[in-house]
């Protein structure tokens, strides 16, 4: 009769299924490759089936292996929720939380948020993973993470989401660019432009194009960058123009450049910033309190830089905020 698999064995198997590489799976599980391989062999022996086919160049998950991985991910997720239920019975923010944040949000939201949490809940432990949405949602589904802070919508299964606030997209270009001479700029004026975008995998790329009602065929993309900071330097070097999130501009990502930033004369040129957690998580109320804190720290000030009174020009080519 087959022996029951352990949670450790299931966790290692799911890591192998995610990375399709023993070394990377072992690194993700913080164990040696030999430890991971031994656990897999024990699991295969206990179940009496082959889960992984090994070759010199790659590994292949068998059909029964895929089914057990899918079931294992659900089991691990349920175990995490069981532990979360115990944590939720205590006072909110008295235990720990594992949160994933995408790179185009983390540097602009986390500093103020971490300071607020430290002051209000000194015993609360927050573990942060910064990664692409695809990787974070998978980690959420398998129970590795409790909560995600990302741009919505993003497709995932068995999750709940909550919108927190909108982050406006602004046009950033060199002061000598012809678009800066226009009294106002709309999204269709960007058609045919050399538009710098993040590489495939960053949801900011898709959300920016969608918000501006553009597709890749409407623009010329000379380069795909790995970060917003890289794009800023390209724009400063007059390689092209870009669409940049308002939160990045407000946190001085353009400091030291002469880049001109303009508001687009269209409605809803923004992305939705929100939270995502597993469906029916017992910590949903705590996650919503967390979201309230993020929202309050990032709400536009009626008299601040996000005010409509400011007009079309957000930042002049001199490197300083434009005069109202």
């Amino acid at each position: 009769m087959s022996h029951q698999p352990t949670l450790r064995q299931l966790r290692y198997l799911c890591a192998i299924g995610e990375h399709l590489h023993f070394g990377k799976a072992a690194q993700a599980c913080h164990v040696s490759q030999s430890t991971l391989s031994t656990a897999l062999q024990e699991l295969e022996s206990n179940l009496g089936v082959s889960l992984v086919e090994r070759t010199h160049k790659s590994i292949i998950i068998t059909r029964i292996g895929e089914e057990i991985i899918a079931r294992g991910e659900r089991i691990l997720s349920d175990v995490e929720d069981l532990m979360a239920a115990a944590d939720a019975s205590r006072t909110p923010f008295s235990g720990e939380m594992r949160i994933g944040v995408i790179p185009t949000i983390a540097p602009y939201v986390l500093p103020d948020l971490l300071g607020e949490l430290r002051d209000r809940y000194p015993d609360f432990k927050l573990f942060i993973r910064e990664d692409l949405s695809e990787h974070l949602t998978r980690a959420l589904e398998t129970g590795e993470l409790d909560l995600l802070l990302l741009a919505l919508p993003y497709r995932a299964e068995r999750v709940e989401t909550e919108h927190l606030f909108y982050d406006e997209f602004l046009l950033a270009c060199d002061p000598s660019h012809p678009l800066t001479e226009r009294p106002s700029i709309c999204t269709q004026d960007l058609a045919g432009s050399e538009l710098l975008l993040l590489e495939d995998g960053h949801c900011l790329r898709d959300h920016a194009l969608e918000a501006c009602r553009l597709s890749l065929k409407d623009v010329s993309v000379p380069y795909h960058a790995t970060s917003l900071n890289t794009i800023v330097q390209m724009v400063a070097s007059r390689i092209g123009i870009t669409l940049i999130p308002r939160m990045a501009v407000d946190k001085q990502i353009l400091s030291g450049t002469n880049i001109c930033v303009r508001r687009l004369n269209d409605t809803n040129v923004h992305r939705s910033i929100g939270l995502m957690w597993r469906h029916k998580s017992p910590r949903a109320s705590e996650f919503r309190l967390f979201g309230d804190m993020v929202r309050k720290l990032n709400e536009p000030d009626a008299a601040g830089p996000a005010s409509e009174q400011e007009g079309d020009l957000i930042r002049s080519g001199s490197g300083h905020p434009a005069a109202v």
Side-chain angles (χ1 to χ4, degrees), residues 68-81:
I68 291 177
I69 286 174
R71 290 173 179 266
E73 289 177 345
R74 292 195 292 270
I75 290 170
L76 293 172
S77 176
D78 288 342
V79 169
E80 291 297 331
D81 286 343

Side-chain angles (χ1 to χ4, degrees), residues 282-297:
R283 302 181 69 177
S285 59
E286 184 178 21
F287 296 154
R288 290 192 173 93
L289 289 174
F290 184 91
D292 289 341
M293 192 178 305
V294 175
R295 183 186 293 110
K296 290 177 182 177
L297 288 171

